[in-house]
Amino acid sequence: MKKYDYLIVGAGLFGATFAHLMQSRGRSCLVIDKRPHRGGNIYCENVEGINVHKYGAHIFHTSDREVWDFVNRLVPFNRYTNSPLANYEGRLYNLPFNMNTFYQMWGVRTPAEAQARIESQRQEALDAMRRAGVDEPRNLEEQALLLIGRDIYERLIKGYTEKQWGRPCTELPAFIIKRLPVRFVYDNNYFNDDFQGIPIGGYNLLTDALLDGVEVRCNTDFFADRAAFEAQADRVVFTGKIDEYYGYRFGQLEYRTVRFEEEVLPVSNWQGCAVVNYTERAVPFTRIIEHKHFERFGSAVDDQPVTVISREYSTEWQAGLEPYYPVNDARNTALYQQYRALAEAETNVVFGGRLAEYKYYDMAPVIRRALDMAAAEK
């Protein structure tokens, strides 16, 4: 039976990056994935000539020059700038919270006016906590009110967050929302990073470049014949669920998942931007993505007479669904630490990525993690 230097379980961004780096060092890699495609959650499907982000919007952003140069050597990136909107009861607000948002919310025009309005509402929240004999926020709601005040919290945070987590904000831990991005300038660029964009031609081109020359087997479940797969390689790189790797020895970690409702519309431009969050609790979905805006700008949007949108619904994860967001509350954090202790005792297994590390990762930090872990390999 052929021996590989590495068996990499998972053809997502971490696994593909690790395989690329190892192959560049002359190491042999076998990458397997139970899905029918490569790329994990950055996979795109071409629908009506539009690259549809099948597992939710993915926008690459980073201030890490090494990571940015690394991906741009593989595929050029466009100049997409993330400028989402929030829809609350039919009214639109710019995100992140900036002077445009504050003008839309209160009609204020200067930073001093906006700061005074926010500080007044923050003080109201602080006074309410003191009257209750509370020194520190006990939950997400109290934390948010202390950070931004009631108006923005109730219109733009509360409903969206409760839909996302499936729990009242009063039952969510305060640390989930330790800080909120607030800018007292007229700037709708969501990210503060130095670099952002989308691969020209879609994320599949990035995946293809990472896995060029690497042996990849899709529709292949590691757990269907675990012993045989492990026997084929000197080391295993595992990017799946860490609790599953250990047979749920201490119990199952919890996740939130997302259901997508995709629709092709016979118009060239449906909502005018890529991302609109629906922040009122009564609207069942969290946001609508119009995919063509990730890669088409200006008049190019209208050159195509159709568009594709996806409505996103956040739900509790259960077996058979794709795990998306770790539920990093006290119980799950303690449970993960038990699994992490087992992982750290391994000598021939590398655990990497959001499921293996039970951590929400953006794309650039995933690549940074893979770069660092690959560099540590002998």
Side-chain angles (χ1 to χ4, degrees):
M1 182 177 291
K2 183 177 180 180
K3 287 278 288 184
Y4 299 88
D5 294 312
Y6 291 92
L7 168 70
I8 300 174
V9 182
L13 189 56
F14 182 93
T17 301
F18 196 96
H20 176 85
L21 295 167
M22 288 299 101
Q23 180 182 252
S24 70
R25 290 165 55 177
R27 308 293 176 83
S28 58
C29 300
L30 169 63
V31 179
I32 63 174
D33 199 297
K34 65 181 180 182
R35 291 179 180 178
H37 60 74
R38 310 185 303 178
N41 284 2
I42 68 171
Y43 172 74
C44 295
E45 181 178 289
N46 190 282
V47 179
E48 299 286 346
I50 298 167
N51 288 315
V52 173
H53 297 204
K54 295 298 288 186
Y55 300 93
H58 282 78
I59 300 150
F60 202 96
H61 59 98
T62 185
S63 291
D64 188 327
R65 167 65 79 172
E66 183 182 2
V67 169
W68 183 247
D69 289 345
F70 173 79
V71 295
N72 276 269
R73 284 195 297 270
L74 298 168
V75 58
F77 278 60
N78 67 23
R79 56 89 171 165
Y80 176 79
T81 300
N82 193 32
S83 301
L85 294 170
N87 184 314
Y88 178 78
E89 296 184 346
R91 294 193 62 183
L92 297 177
Y93 300 87
N94 289 105
L95 299 175
F97 309 136
N98 69 81
M99 285 304 300
N100 288 306
T101 320
F102 307 142
Y103 175 76
Q104 292 151 351
M105 183 75 62
W106 302 307
V108 298
R109 290 176 168 81
T110 68
E113 290 176 303
Q115 288 171 328
R117 184 67 68 102
I118 291 172
E119 186 56 35
S120 173
Q121 295 192 8
R122 290 182 67 250
Q123 189 61 49
E124 289 176 7
L126 183 59
D127 290 343
M129 287 176 54
R130 286 171 175 166
R131 287 194 298 271
V134 177
D135 294 325
E136 296 291 334
R138 295 166 293 184
N139 52 56
L140 186 148
E141 178 164 291
E142 291 181 348
Q143 178 72 79
L145 290 171
L146 203 58
L147 289 171
I148 201 66
R150 184 164 298 279
D151 288 349
I152 291 175
Y153 167 69
E154 291 191 343
R155 295 187 204 180
L156 303 183
I157 297 174
K158 178 180 171 65
Y160 187 91
T161 303
E162 292 185 345
K163 287 188 290 187
Q164 190 175 39
W165 292 101
R167 296 160 177 80
C169 287
T170 53
E171 296 179 9
L172 291 169
F175 69 77
I176 290 179
I177 196 167
K178 287 182 178 179
R179 61 180 300 273
L180 289 168
V182 177
R183 300 177 186 157
F184 294 100
V185 292
Y186 290 91
D187 180 6
N188 298 324
N189 180 0
Y190 194 81
F191 300 118
N192 290 318
D193 293 294
D194 295 334
F195 315 107
Q196 65 179 297
I198 307 286
I200 296 174
Y203 280 101
N204 292 356
L205 295 183
L206 175 61
T207 300
D208 291 345
L210 287 169
L211 292 174
D212 184 35
V214 177
E215 184 176 348
V216 181
R217 301 179 194 172
C218 294
N219 295 304
T220 303
D221 187 350
F222 170 72
F223 294 103
D225 200 355
R226 177 173 178 166
F229 282 122
E230 290 176 331
Q232 293 186 56
D234 297 323
R235 285 175 68 73
V236 174
V237 177
F238 187 77
T239 71
K241 292 163 54 189
I242 190 171
D243 53 349
E244 185 177 17
Y245 183 89
Y246 288 109
Y248 306 107
R249 185 179 307 179
F250 306 119
Q252 290 194 6
L253 292 164
E254 293 178 290
Y255 297 87
R256 294 289 289 173
T257 190
V258 182
R259 176 174 64 86
F260 302 96
E261 186 180 85
E262 188 177 302
E263 187 176 1
V264 178
L265 300 174
V267 296
S268 62
N269 186 359
W270 190 72
Q271 67 182 16
C273 66
V275 183
V276 177
N277 293 351
Y278 284 76
T279 60
E280 59 189 287
R281 187 67 182 87
V283 176
F285 45 85
T286 55
R287 62 183 183 174
I288 296 180
I289 308 301
E290 187 172 6
H291 298 269
K292 72 189 311 181
H293 292 288
F294 290 129
E295 298 184 61
R296 288 176 176 263
F297 313 109
S299 61
V301 172
D302 299 323
D303 293 342
Q304 200 172 19
V306 298
T307 194
V308 182
I309 65 170
S310 298
R311 295 177 181 86
E312 298 187 5
Y313 299 80
S314 182
T315 63
E316 290 290 334
W317 177 85
Q318 49 188 284
L321 299 178
E322 185 63 33
Y324 278 85
Y325 305 110
V327 180
N328 294 124
D329 58 13
R331 174 196 170 274
N332 284 286
T333 299
L335 184 58
Y336 167 65
Q337 292 302 325
Q338 291 182 273
Y339 286 117
R340 182 182 177 184
L342 295 178
E344 289 177 344
E346 301 281 356
T347 56
N348 291 311
V349 186
V350 174
F351 293 86
R354 63 186 178 88
L355 300 181
E357 297 179 68
Y358 199 62
K359 178 179 180 180
Y360 178 78
Y361 271 118
D362 283 327
M363 289 176 287
V366 165
I367 291 177
R368 165 49 60 194
R369 183 74 167 145
L371 287 169
D372 291 345
M373 294 180 76
E377 291 291 294
K378 296 179 181 179

